[in-house]
Amino acid sequence: MEHAPTNDGFPVSGSRDDEYTEYVAARLSSLRRLAAVLCDDWQRADDLVQATLTKLYVHWSRMRAASHPDAYARTVLVREFIHERRSPWAKWVSLTEEMTDPPAAMVDHDAVLDLRAAVAALPARQRATLVLRFYCDLNVDQSSEILGCSPGTVKSQTAKALDAVRRALTLGQNPGARPHPPRSAQR
Amino acid sequence: MTESQIRDLFTGIAGAEPETSLVDAELARRRGRARLRRRWAAAAGTPLLAAATAVAVVVTVGLAPAPPRPGIAATGNRPAAPRHFDPLVPYLSFGWLPAGQSLVMGGVRRTVVFIEAGRKPYSAHGWDLNIYAAGQCHFTPAAKTLQCGAAPPEGPGRNIVGPAPAVRGHRAWWAGPSRNWWASAGLVWQYARNGWAWLFLPNMYRYSPQQIAAVKRDAVKIAGHVRYGAPTRPLVFPAQLTRLPHNWRVSSVVYLRDGRLLRARSYALAASSPSLGADGGLDYQSGLPYFTIDPVTRRFSCAGYLHWPDSVSRTINGYRVVVTHDMAGSTPKQQLCAAHADGLDLFVSELGSHPVMSVDDVFRHHLRLLGGNPANWVRNPIG
C-alpha cells in the first residue's frame, strides 16, 4: 500500500481519507438509526456513532478488506455499544432536562411506552441481540458473529430477553399480579 | 406477539430520526488519525515520543474539540476523565493567569486535583481550580445543582446560577450560592467525559458590577487555558519513608510552590483500612501516619506542645521531639513535633485508637530526613 507522507511525518494511506469520507457520507444515516435503536436515545446514538467512526478510521484497512463492509461497521458499532454500557461511564450525566426523543407516533401510546421501558431495562447484550435479530433481521449465526459469541448464546440471550419483556409487560398490565410476600414475612 | 411488537418498536425508533445529526465525521477522522499517529510512534520503538504524542492527543483532541453545536450534550464522545489520579503527579497547571497572580499551591488526591493561584497560599483573593475524577460529580438538571465529592459537607454542592461562556467548546455554567454569589462564586464545566472542573473565583465582596464582569472574563480565560495532564515540575519530598508495610502508599499530597520547586508540604499514607475522610486536601486513614514538613524557620518551635496534657519530650535519633496525645473530635490523635531537625520542621501525626505503629516508631525507624537542601530531596516519598 502506498503511504503518503504528511506534514506531521505520519505515514497515512492517501486514499484512506477519501474512502472514509465517502463511506461515512453514504452510511451515516443507517448507522445513526441502528445506534438509536440500540441506545433508545438519539443524542447517545450520535455519541455512539461518533466513537464508531473513529474506530472505523483507525481500522480502515480491515474495513477495506472485509467482504461486507457494512457488516463490519455494524459489528464495530454493536460491540462499542456493549462495551460502553459495561464501562463506568455508562452512568454519564445527562444535561438536558427535556425529552429529546419522543416516541414515534403509534396507536396505543401506553403500550408502546410500556414496551419501550421493558426493552430499555434489558442488559446491553440482550438488547443488542434483539436489535440484531428483529431490527437488522439477522439470523442466529450472523448475530453470533457480530456479538462474538456462540449461536447457542444468541438463542439463549434472545429467549431471556423476550421472556423478560413479556414478564415486564404482564406485570405492567396487571399490577395486582406482582408477587407479594406473605404477611408473616413482612413482619 | 412480543416479537412483532418489538419489531414495530425498533422501526418506530429508527423512523424518528432527527434531521440534524450531531455526528462530526471530520472530528472522528481527526481523532482516528491521532490514534494512528500514537500507535505509529509506539510501534516505531520510541516510547518517549509515544508518551509525548499521547499527551498531545489528550490536549489537542480531548480538550480542544470542535466548537459546540446547538443541542449537543456536553457529555459528548470525548476522552473520558481519569478514574483516579496519581497522588504523586500534579497533573494540572494554569496556562494563563491575570497579572500579579501565580501558582502558589496545589494538591492531589485520588479523586480530585486542585491548584491555587494568588499572591499567597490560602488567600481569599486567589483562584482555586478543582478537577474531579470521573464520576465524582453529580449534576441534577431538575434542581440545577452540581454536587462534587462524597458528601455535602465535604464537596461543594452548589446551585447552577446561570450559563457561562463555553470553555474551549465545553458548555459551562456559573455556580455558587444564589444569594451572595460573589462570596464563593464558581465556574463549572465538563473538562472531559464524566469529569467536572470547578474554578472558584476570588471573593468579590464590594466589587462593582464592572469589576465582577472583569473577574468573570478572567475566569473564562483561565479556564480556557488550563492544561490537563501536561508535564509539570515534579513533586519533591524533603523526607523519605523506608521499610514500610508493602501495601502502604501515599494517598494524597498538598504541595507549595517554592521558587521553581513543587515541594510536598503535607501528605498522608493509605492502606486498605477504612478512610476517615478528607480535609484540607488530604485523605486520612485510621491508624496510618500523615506528615507536614517544612524547611526550618526561626519562628517554629515545639515548645508550646509541652504544655499540653499527656505530652512528653524525648530525644529520638538525636533530635528533640515532643509527642502529644489528644482528641480530634471523637478520634484519638497522636502527634510528634520536631523543630530544627536536620534543617526541617515537621509533624508526624496519626488518627485512631489502634495505630499500626506509633508516631515515635515512624520517626525513629522509618523516616529519613533529607535536610534543608532541595538538591537532596527526592521524588519518591517511599524508598
Side-chain angles (χ1 to χ4, degrees):
Chain A
M1 190 185 301
E2 189 180 333
H3 287 147
T6 59
N7 55 4
D8 52 8
F10 168 58
V12 169
S13 160
S15 58
R16 177 192 291 253
D17 285 13
D18 295 339
E19 290 174 5
Y20 168 84
T21 307
E22 194 179 328
Y23 179 83
V24 171
R27 293 288 188 270
L28 180 60
S29 184
S30 66
L31 287 174
R32 285 186 74 215
R33 285 197 298 270
L34 174 57
V37 176
L38 285 166
C39 300
D40 197 8
D41 178 317
W42 281 95
Q43 219 160 53
R44 289 185 180 181
D46 281 347
D47 282 350
L48 178 60
V49 172
Q50 186 80 39
T52 303
L53 293 183
T54 303
K55 287 199 168 174
L56 286 181
Y57 183 87
V58 172
H59 300 294
W60 193 253
S61 53
R62 289 185 207 167
M63 176 83 169
R64 190 186 278 147
S67 52
H68 298 289
D70 287 345
Y72 180 79
R74 196 160 49 202
T75 303
V76 172
L77 189 138
V78 170
R79 290 187 182 179
E80 178 68 18
F81 165 74
I82 294 171
H83 170 76
E84 197 166 63
R85 285 299 164 100
R86 279 180 182 161
S87 74
W89 321 133
K91 294 176 181 174
W92 56 55
V93 178
S94 173
L95 294 175
T96 48
E97 290 179 56
E98 68 276 15
M99 280 281 288
T100 53
D101 305 320
M106 290 192 187
V107 180
D108 184 347
H109 289 285
D110 285 346
V112 171
L113 289 174
D114 285 347
L115 179 63
R116 193 168 181 167
V119 175
L122 294 174
R125 205 171 180 81
Q126 288 184 12
R127 182 178 177 104
T129 308
L130 291 187
V131 169
L132 292 174
R133 298 295 312 282
F134 304 131
Y135 175 71
C136 301
D137 283 328
L138 301 183
N139 61 33
V140 171
D141 290 336
Q142 290 167 327
S143 301
S144 70
E145 217 166 279
I146 288 181
L147 293 169
C149 61
S150 70
T153 305
V154 172
K155 287 180 194 171
S156 65
Q157 292 280 302
T158 308
K160 280 181 187 172
L162 289 174
D163 189 43
V165 170
R166 283 192 193 105
R167 265 188 286 121
L169 292 178
T170 308
L171 290 174
Q173 284 168 0
N174 183 10
R178 289 176 195 279
H180 287 288
R183 275 182 185 278
S184 57
Q186 295 176 21
R187 288 185 192 138
Chain B
M1 177 62 184
T2 312
E3 290 176 24
S4 62
Q5 286 176 320
I6 290 174
R7 281 180 201 277
D8 291 343
L9 171 71
F10 288 160
T11 309
I13 293 172
E17 182 180 3
E19 287 181 10
T20 315
S21 166
L22 302 179
V23 177
D24 187 338
E26 174 57 22
L27 179 63
R29 191 191 66 80
R30 284 205 309 272
R31 285 180 174 166
R33 196 180 177 82
R35 278 190 206 173
L36 282 176
R37 190 184 302 125
R38 191 173 54 188
R39 288 184 183 188
W40 173 78
T46 53
L48 200 61
L49 177 60
T53 311
V55 169
V57 167
V58 169
V59 172
T60 61
V61 176
L63 304 168
R69 292 152 292 169
I72 190 168
T75 50
N77 178 48
R78 62 174 68 108
R83 297 161 75 173
H84 296 291
F85 296 108
D86 180 346
L88 302 182
V89 180
Y91 184 77
L92 202 59
S93 54
F94 289 112
W96 179 87
L97 286 168
Q101 306 277 316
S102 61
L103 175 73
V104 289
M105 65 181 298
V108 189
R109 289 159 46 197
R110 281 172 65 77
T111 54
V112 59
V113 179
F114 80 91
I115 48 176
E116 185 180 316
R119 298 181 194 278
K120 59 181 181 180
Y122 306 111
S123 165
H125 299 285
W127 299 85
D128 188 0
L129 173 66
N130 289 9
I131 298 289
Y132 293 89
Q136 292 299 314
C137 294
H138 302 283
F139 182 69
T140 310
K144 290 188 175 162
T145 58
L146 181 65
Q147 169 71 48
C148 296
E154 181 189 337
R158 300 290 172 79
N159 295 329
I160 301 295
V161 295
V167 175
R168 287 161 101 171
H170 301 213
R171 285 166 65 182
W173 294 267
W174 300 113
S178 299
R179 293 183 63 193
N180 301 335
W181 179 76
W182 42 263
S184 54
L187 174 66
V188 297
W189 70 98
Q190 274 190 300
Y191 68 97
R193 182 149 54 97
N194 213 17
W196 288 83
W198 196 307
L199 176 65
F200 289 91
L201 280 52
N203 189 325
M204 295 180 283
Y205 179 59
R206 289 190 174 175
Y207 275 29
S208 68
Q210 290 80 11
Q211 287 172 312
I212 290 177
V215 170
K216 288 167 77 174
R217 276 198 303 275
D218 283 348
V220 174
K221 190 168 179 181
I222 290 171
H225 286 77
V226 171
R227 300 191 192 114
Y228 313 82
T232 64
R233 295 184 185 284
L235 292 179
V236 289
F237 293 79
Q240 193 169 47
L241 292 153
T242 58
R243 291 173 292 153
L244 292 177
H246 73 279
N247 62 334
W248 287 20
R249 64 188 189 282
V250 173
S251 69
S252 45
V253 175
V254 172
Y255 61 85
L256 296 178
R257 201 189 76 168
D258 262 0
R260 298 171 64 83
L261 294 174
L262 299 183
R263 173 174 64 82
R265 179 175 190 257
S266 52
Y267 47 103
L269 300 185
S272 52
S273 56
S275 173
L276 292 170
D279 187 26
L282 292 187
D283 269 323
Y284 300 101
Q285 280 203 349
S286 181
L288 294 185
Y290 58 97
F291 306 85
T292 301
I293 306 177
D294 285 308
V296 72
T297 56
R298 280 187 186 176
R299 286 179 300 174
F300 186 83
S301 166
C302 297
Y305 293 99
L306 279 172
H307 304 302
W308 289 27
D310 296 330
S311 70
V312 289
S313 175
R314 293 182 187 138
T315 300
I316 301 178
N317 297 345
Y319 303 115
R320 197 79 183 153
V321 303
V322 176
V323 177
T324 56
H325 291 79
D326 67 332
M327 301 293 286
S330 58
T331 307
K333 176 182 177 181
Q334 57 174 289
Q335 179 172 277
L336 180 150
C337 173
H340 305 269
D342 195 14
L344 300 171
D345 299 328
L346 64 100
F347 290 98
V348 181
S349 313
E350 284 179 343
L351 294 164
S353 307
H354 306 288
V356 179
M357 60 180 80
S358 68
V359 289
D360 301 41
D361 286 341
V362 173
F363 188 77
R364 187 187 305 274
H365 300 299
H366 301 281
L367 190 64
R368 192 160 67 91
L369 302 181
L370 301 174
N373 183 357
N376 297 325
W377 296 351
V378 294
R379 296 183 183 185
N380 189 354
I382 300 179

